[in-house]
């Protein structure tokens, strides 16, 4: 299995798609998480993501191994942005390719759910009223 893991200020959906593409695979699933302009009715002006990068990369590597052990996938890309992100910006991309779509869907869902739960990447929300959480 080929793996692409990246934590940078700029990530793209296309990079993940290009990485997972394989003529052997009939299923390519991509999850994209973008910054919303609203949280519970409050206007959001930006998010700031920070990480403990070395630990975050190790956790993302563990997720890739877990996915490989549970599903017959060909490739997986786990990308997360850090720094200031505005509404509409891409914050996270998980992409998986497999011979069949069902495997790719299941593996992608597991990967993003596990990434959100385990990887040490934190965010601050900046609201239009000046509050920062």
């Amino acid at each position: 299995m080929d793996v692409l893991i990246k934590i940078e200020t700029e990530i793209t959906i296309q990079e993940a798609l290009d990485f997972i593409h394989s003529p052997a695979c009939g299923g390519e699933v991509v999850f994209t998480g973008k910054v919303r302009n609203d949280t519970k009715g409050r206007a959001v002006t930006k998010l700031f993501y920070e990480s403990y990068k070395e630990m975050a990369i190790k956790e993302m590597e563990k997720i890739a191994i877990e996915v490989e052990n549970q599903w017959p996938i060909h490739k997986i890309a786990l990308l997360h942005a850090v720094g200031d992100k505005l509404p509409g910006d891409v914050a996270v991309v998980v992409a998986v390719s497999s011979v069949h779509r069902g495997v790719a869907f299941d593996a992608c869902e597991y990967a993003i759910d596990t990434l959100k739960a385990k990887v040490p990447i934190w965010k601050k929300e900046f609201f239009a009223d000046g509050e920062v959480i």
Side-chain angles (χ1 to χ4, degrees):
M1 180 184 70
D2 293 331
V3 178
L4 173 64
I5 292 175
K6 187 174 178 182
I7 299 173
E8 299 292 338
T9 56
E10 295 297 326
I11 60 172
T12 67
I13 299 166
Q14 192 62 52
E15 179 180 12
L17 269 172
D18 290 346
F19 179 78
I20 67 164
H21 182 70
S22 168
C25 294
E28 296 178 345
V29 173
V30 178
F31 171 82
T32 304
K34 291 186 173 182
V35 176
R36 292 186 312 266
N37 67 357
D38 180 276
T39 296
K40 298 179 181 174
R42 297 180 66 196
V44 173
T45 58
K46 72 174 182 177
L47 298 181
F48 177 79
Y49 290 96
E50 61 184 336
S51 75
Y52 177 8
K53 190 172 182 177
E54 291 151 358
M55 182 177 282
I57 287 174
K58 287 181 182 177
E59 289 299 320
M60 292 163 91
E61 290 170 346
K62 288 179 188 176
I63 292 167
I65 291 167
E66 290 171 12
V67 168
E68 181 181 29
N69 288 338
Q70 293 184 54
W71 294 278
I73 65 169
H74 276 249
K75 296 181 181 182
I76 184 169
L78 303 166
L79 313 178
H80 205 295
V82 290
D84 288 325
K85 295 297 161 196
L86 302 175
D89 286 348
V90 175
V92 61
V93 180
V94 174
V96 176
S97 61
S98 181
V99 173
H100 301 291
R101 69 180 180 274
V103 166
F105 275 118
D106 292 346
C108 190
E109 181 178 26
Y110 176 85
I112 186 59
D113 289 348
T114 307
L115 186 153
K116 295 288 285 180
K118 293 186 175 180
V119 176
I121 296 174
W122 306 276
K123 69 178 178 186
K124 289 183 183 175
E125 287 183 293
F126 292 77
F127 294 94
D129 63 9
E131 186 176 11
V132 178
I133 297 176

